Amino acid sequence: MNGDSGKGGALAVHQVNHAAGPVNINKCINKAYAGIVPLLFFLATLTYIDRSNVAFASLQFLDDLNLSTKTYGLGAGVFYLGYCVMQVPSQLAITRLGAPIWLAVLVFCWGVVAACSAAMNSKNTYIAVRFMLGVFEAGCFPGCWYELSVFFTSLELGFAYACVSSSTALSNVIGAPLAAGLLYLDGRGGLHGWQWIFIVEGSLTAVYAFVILALLPRKPARAWWLNASEKTWLQGRQDALDAKAHARDARSGRWWGCMLKWELWYLSVCYALVQWSITAVVYFNPLLVETILVGNGFGSPLPKIPNADKPWHTAKVALISAVLWVPVGITMMVALISAVLWVPVGITMMVVAWSSKKYQERNLHTTIPVFIAGACFMAVPATAHANAIAGYIILIIAATGVWAVHGPMWSWPKTFLHGEGAAVGIAIFNSVGALGGFCGPYVTGALFELRGGRQTAMFVLGAINFALGTLILFFRPAQQDEHVSSQEESDAMHAARTGGPSGAMVGGKAPEWGTAVDHPAGKSV
């Protein structure tokens, strides 16, 4: 966190509140959401477009570069090796330089690398550009998490990060039709369609780096969309929370202290299983479309599709692939519930996200969706054999279950880490997850080359999700950790309003921000 630590944190809050004038808490927090989340959401969207556009480009360049699906899966997975290597160094840099500068540097660099992917002409160059893309994209999601942690409490952070991470699905709603149009440019300007994908999408990302540098604030005191009173109050609150966390466990606030937390390593292994499933679906979704809708089924070798070399065919497959991502996006974004077909799915997922935040319960809110995902992955081959459309709907439900766990899982680390320890801890969490990101496409690609391997790949994904659900079900970090954390947040919040100790507890728990006890509607401080 930015700001003072120790006793000075709470004292500064008391002085700021008296000097700065009244602050409407609800309005201030909502302005913080509106000022930060859209910028990070679009940043994360570009990240995933540049990361996963290789799935659509592969519809053409596998033949152009004479690559096998196994090599394709290896290259897709190598991305996560570079991603893993740079996680911790990137987070150490962001704590020193601040999110605006460091994220802008990363965004520009990976945009350039993504655009240069159009020049790859062999297996080695393919693997090299994927590795370098991973190196520069490594700091994106942990960096977004760090920026949000500077402005929000753990309760507020879960919802904010769920909004940002929904881009992992929604990017494909945008990316698929964009890729379809660019694939159709095959032959224009002497370039293949897949080259147009990399050039156009990479260039857009590089330009966005300057938007991040100009508009993203480093800390509440520099937020241009807050007035003076709101800046001082929000900065003071975050300083107080950091001081409280430091007093409770100073070691967890140091970059090396997080490595001693068993909870972090356990949760990181679980996230690796999440990433295994996510990356397998992301990188092989277009090939699964061919298998389910226009191929020969899961039991035969990967089919050679008639007219597969025609631009209109690859564009069509890319567009059909986009269907998968609409309901997954609804998992975490209320706005997309307007898609009538997916209203039941959207309502169910929003209830899960709301319930997890309200009751501060994460185990069941993670376990149930991944158990459903596991069952659906295993059911895809048989269902697709009976009815192709039904098989793809089952795949949609499976993907929805996997994506549903982002909010609960990413909000867990902040309950036992803080400060620089939280920044490095979330990098470790994401790094271990990246190992699953490597295994997902590599193992799936290898299985796709075997007779019956695509069916086996679905069974493997099902087993991965059942294992994940079981591990999360029995994940029990020390109960006092989260309870104490919530109480200390309440104490700090009370100190920010009154300068005195807090006694406002509801049923033995600290009130949530936004409740009548915490700050009644329209209440100012």
Side-chain angles (χ1 to χ4, degrees), residues 23 221 351 354 366 397 406-407 480:
V23 174
V351 168
W354 172 84
T366 303
I397 297 174
H406 273 84
Q480 71 269 20

Side-chain angles (χ1 to χ4, degrees), residues 50-239:
D50 288 333
R51 181 185 308 184
S52 60
N53 58 13
V54 68
F56 303 110
S58 69
L59 295 169
Q60 290 182 354
F61 79 70
L62 289 184
D63 288 336
D64 290 344
L65 303 184
N66 195 28
L67 301 180
S68 66
T69 54
K70 182 178 181 180
T71 299
Y72 164 67
L74 173 62
V78 161
F79 167 92
Y80 290 95
L81 295 184
Y83 194 78
C84 181
V85 167
M86 284 299 295
Q87 288 281 310
V88 172
S90 181
Q91 285 303 92
L92 289 174
I94 203 172
T95 60
R96 288 157 175 76
L97 299 177
I101 293 176
W102 187 241
L103 285 178
V105 169
L106 294 178
V107 172
F108 182 80
C109 289
W110 92 58
V112 171
V113 171
C116 289
S117 298
M120 62 186 184
N121 56 13
S122 66
K123 172 184 175 180
N124 290 337
T125 54
Y126 166 58
I127 292 175
V129 295
R130 295 302 299 174
F131 180 82
M132 290 306 300
L133 191 65
V135 166
F136 290 118
E137 282 198 22
C140 177
F141 282 99
C144 289
W145 187 93
Y146 175 78
E147 172 73 358
L148 293 171
S149 73
V150 170
F151 283 79
F152 301 116
T153 67
S154 61
L155 292 174
E156 297 159 352
L157 177 66
F159 174 74
Y161 189 79
C163 292
V164 172
S165 63
S166 66
S167 61
T168 61
L170 297 179
S171 62
N172 286 273
V173 177
I174 300 169
L178 177 58
L182 294 172
L183 284 171
Y184 201 73
L185 294 178
D186 191 55
R188 302 290 179 88
L191 298 174
H192 295 290
W194 61 268
Q195 291 175 308
W196 279 113
I197 288 179
F198 291 129
I199 292 172
V200 172
E201 295 179 355
S203 299
L204 288 174
T205 299
V207 170
Y208 192 68
F210 298 97
V211 177
I212 289 294
L213 187 61
L215 299 182
L216 190 68
R218 179 171 181 173
K219 56 185 180 180
R222 298 182 184 178
W224 54 271
W225 24 260
L226 295 177
N227 61 39
S229 298
E230 292 165 339
K231 288 179 183 179
T232 51
W233 174 80
L234 187 56
Q235 184 69 64
R237 184 192 72 165
Q238 296 304 101
D239 289 348

